[in-house]
Amino acid sequence: MISEMAKLDPYIVRADFPILQIQNRGKPLIYLDTSASAQKPHQVIDAIQHYYTHQHANIHRGVYELSEQATQVFEGVRHQVKSFINAQHAEEIIFVRGTTEAINLVAHSYGRSRFQPGDEIVVSVMEHHSNIVPWQMVGEVTGAVLRVIPMADTGELDLDAYRQLLTARTKLIAVTHISNVLGTINPIKEITALAHAQQIPVLVDGAQAAPFFPVDVQALDCDFYAFSSHKMYGPTGVGVLYGKKALLETMPPYQGGGDMIETVSFAKTTYAKLPNKFEAGTPNIAAVVGLGAAIRYLQILGMENIASHEQELLHYATEQLQAIAGLRIFGTAKHKAGVIAFVVDDIHPHDIATVLDHAGIAVRAGHHCAMPLMERLHVPATVRVSLGLYNTREEIDQLMVGLQQVKRLFG
Ligand code: 7TS
């Protein structure tokens, strides 16, 4: 069990994560790939088991007690999410499959119904593919085109260039809160204020931010905010689209089916109110329950404590890595989260990841679903170390030992 703590102690917290006890290639697992997906505390695993053992029924339809209870539990998590991100209304919280589906929902509902030929959607050079491709797909049917905010070599967005991109043709800004490669924390408040001065709505990809520090959508004043449960220590298969109520109300449904209607006849169907209008079909109820447990867990630890633990570890790891000859880090922004992408000499990132894997260390190597960013960095791929609330300095020390071995093998 964990208790309310002033400072996060990763050695105490680790005991909550059963998977951290297992081995990788016969060595104790050192998990440095939390940006891809975070591991789950037993509180989340137990909540899902408890739900299936005691509470499962389909929601929003049964009159019997079990279905009523399942509905209550599901809707309770919607309220939890609302307070977690400080939304104004619970119906602004739409449960989807993850960040990817949240962005596709906005692209296909908002974009398809509003974009005209020649309209512009502004994204940044550091976007994950899931905040690029949906806009291109909508562009193909509407004639809208992408414009791209460039960045400095530090990995910080060029806000002057951004200002110049905002014109009467700009119909939406879609930008990431934290880069999954560079770790850059983008100035969303400023980006939003500039867009709003010209009545342009802003979508924020919060996939890497929601697990990292406190998010307040009202303070950011963004119009949409998307994130995934599995990156915030909850289960896979569920995520959230936050949208301002007034905006969501004007948008057409994204998918049709059960639970999203008011009345159906062959002549005409009318749609349900928010949030059901955007939640067609039986949702991933168990995963929503698990997300609720994950939020409870994060709130007990304290998002501020999580952020400062990862900041401390980021500084330690960066210092250590910089001491390795021939190692080059991509992303040195002043405001940065616990993600470090790097290359070592001309050793292929996959070779580095393979050697580390044999030492029990899980890191990601590749383009990290950000091929346009790789082009900007002039590399085909990087190694990426990403930190979670359970990582320790000792694990970073082990990473250094692994990288020394890489240098010996390929040097
Ligand atoms: N946006 C960002 C910034 C991400 O990092 C990711 C996933 C997504 C969107 C998509 O999230 P999903 O849950 O819908 O898949 N990022 C990564 C990563 O960095 N490594 O694997 C997945």
Side-chain angles (χ1 to χ4, degrees):
M1 236 341 251
I2 47 168
S3 61
E4 199 106 24
M5 47 178 87
K7 189 172 186 300
L8 190 146
D9 182 341
Y11 292 96
I12 295 178
V13 165
R14 289 176 71 79
D16 290 329
F17 291 79
I19 209 167
L20 297 180
Q21 311 305 320
I22 69 160
Q23 300 209 322
N24 183 78
R25 309 260 182 228
K27 306 271 166 51
L29 170 68
I30 296 177
Y31 190 72
L32 297 173
D33 198 20
T34 292
S35 286
S37 197
Q39 298 300 350
K40 320 304 174 197
H42 73 80
Q43 286 85 343
V44 167
I45 301 165
D46 295 349
I48 296 169
Q49 178 163 15
H50 181 267
Y51 169 75
Y52 275 134
T53 311
H54 300 284
Q55 297 175 310
H56 174 69
N58 211 332
I59 55 165
H60 297 156
R61 44 203 103 195
V63 291
Y64 50 92
E65 188 181 10
L66 200 55
S67 172
E68 262 178 31
Q69 270 178 14
T71 304
Q72 263 175 24
V73 171
F74 182 87
E75 291 302 327
V77 179
R78 200 186 303 280
H79 282 87
Q80 271 185 279
V81 174
K82 166 193 175 280
S83 29
F84 186 66
I85 61 167
N86 193 33
Q88 207 177 345
H89 309 283
E91 61 267 39
E92 296 180 319
I93 306 303
I94 313 291
F95 288 121
V96 290
R97 223 161 29 85
T99 307
T100 302
E101 190 176 39
I103 298 172
N104 274 277
L105 190 161
V106 178
H108 291 280
S109 167
Y110 185 86
R112 256 177 200 256
S113 60
R114 304 213 188 190
F115 297 161
Q116 306 279 332
D119 281 353
E120 295 176 356
I121 305 148
V122 171
V123 298
S124 88
V125 68
M126 64 179 76
E127 297 310 313
H128 186 277
H129 295 163
S130 64
N131 202 21
I132 299 173
V133 184
W135 306 116
Q136 291 173 323
M137 289 167 67
V138 168
E140 272 172 29
V141 288
T142 61
V145 294
L146 282 188
R147 302 297 303 272
V148 182
I149 313 169
M151 68 176 198
D153 290 338
T154 54
E156 284 157 321
L157 290 181
D158 180 342
L159 290 187
D160 288 329
Y162 167 63
R163 273 188 202 93
Q164 284 168 19
L165 284 174
L166 301 176
T167 71
R169 290 186 300 277
T170 315
K171 289 295 149 30
L172 186 85
I173 315 298
V175 66
T176 194
H177 201 167
I178 295 180
S179 161
N180 68 318
V181 180
L182 306 164
T184 311
I185 302 171
N186 287 319
I188 296 299
K189 250 189 199 178
E190 204 176 335
I191 288 172
T192 303
L194 287 165
H196 285 178
Q198 303 192 41
Q199 284 77 49
I200 305 162
V202 178
L203 174 141
V204 179
D205 173 348
Q208 297 296 341
F212 176 71
F213 58 9
V215 169
D216 181 332
V217 290
Q218 291 190 72
L220 294 173
D221 198 28
C222 56
D223 300 276
F224 300 106
Y225 198 93
F227 56 101
S228 301
S229 152
H230 73 98
K231 292 194 199 283
M232 45 192 286
Y233 310 92
T236 54
V238 71
V240 171
L241 172 69
Y242 156 82
K244 280 185 183 165
K245 190 176 166 189
L247 203 49
L248 288 175
E249 275 172 344
T250 65
M251 288 162 51
Y254 160 59
Q255 293 177 333
D259 227 23
M260 56 73 74
I261 55 87
E262 196 175 58
T263 62
V264 177
S265 75
F266 286 116
K268 183 170 172 59
T269 290
T270 57
Y271 304 126
K273 292 193 174 27
L274 291 177
N276 304 52
K277 181 170 81 172
F278 292 113
E279 292 181 359
T282 301
N284 195 338
I285 309 166
V288 167
V289 170
L291 170 60
I295 289 175
R296 260 195 309 280
Y297 186 79
L298 293 175
Q299 286 175 329
I300 289 171
L301 293 186
M303 290 309 296
E304 302 277 3
N305 296 333
I306 292 169
S308 46
H309 168 66
E310 288 180 30
Q311 282 293 331
E312 230 178 271
L313 209 51
L314 169 70
H315 291 135
Y316 180 69
T318 304
E319 244 176 61
Q320 300 286 310
L321 287 167
Q322 277 167 343
I324 294 179
L327 187 143
R328 194 151 60 97
I329 293 177
F330 299 96
T332 53
K334 197 158 150 250
H335 300 289
K336 191 177 160 171
V339 182
I340 312 171
F342 62 87
V343 294
V344 184
D345 301 323
D346 51 4
I347 308 169
H348 198 284
H350 282 122
D351 289 335
I352 297 175
T354 303
V355 173
L356 293 177
D357 169 44
H358 283 272
I361 304 170
V363 299
R364 189 167 171 195
H367 54 61
H368 316 295
C369 301
M371 288 172 86
L373 176 60
M374 293 297 118
E375 208 178 309
R376 167 65 179 82
L377 300 173
H378 310 294
V379 287
T382 77
V383 180
R384 181 187 66 181
V385 165
S386 59
L387 305 172
L389 54 81
Y390 33 58
N391 289 125
T392 65
R393 282 186 174 223
E394 273 173 29
E395 289 180 310
I396 301 301
D397 296 340
Q398 287 304 311
L399 170 70
M400 296 310 142
V401 173
L403 287 172
Q404 297 301 349
Q405 200 191 349
V406 169
K407 292 278 286 186
R408 276 198 301 280
L409 280 169
F410 294 95

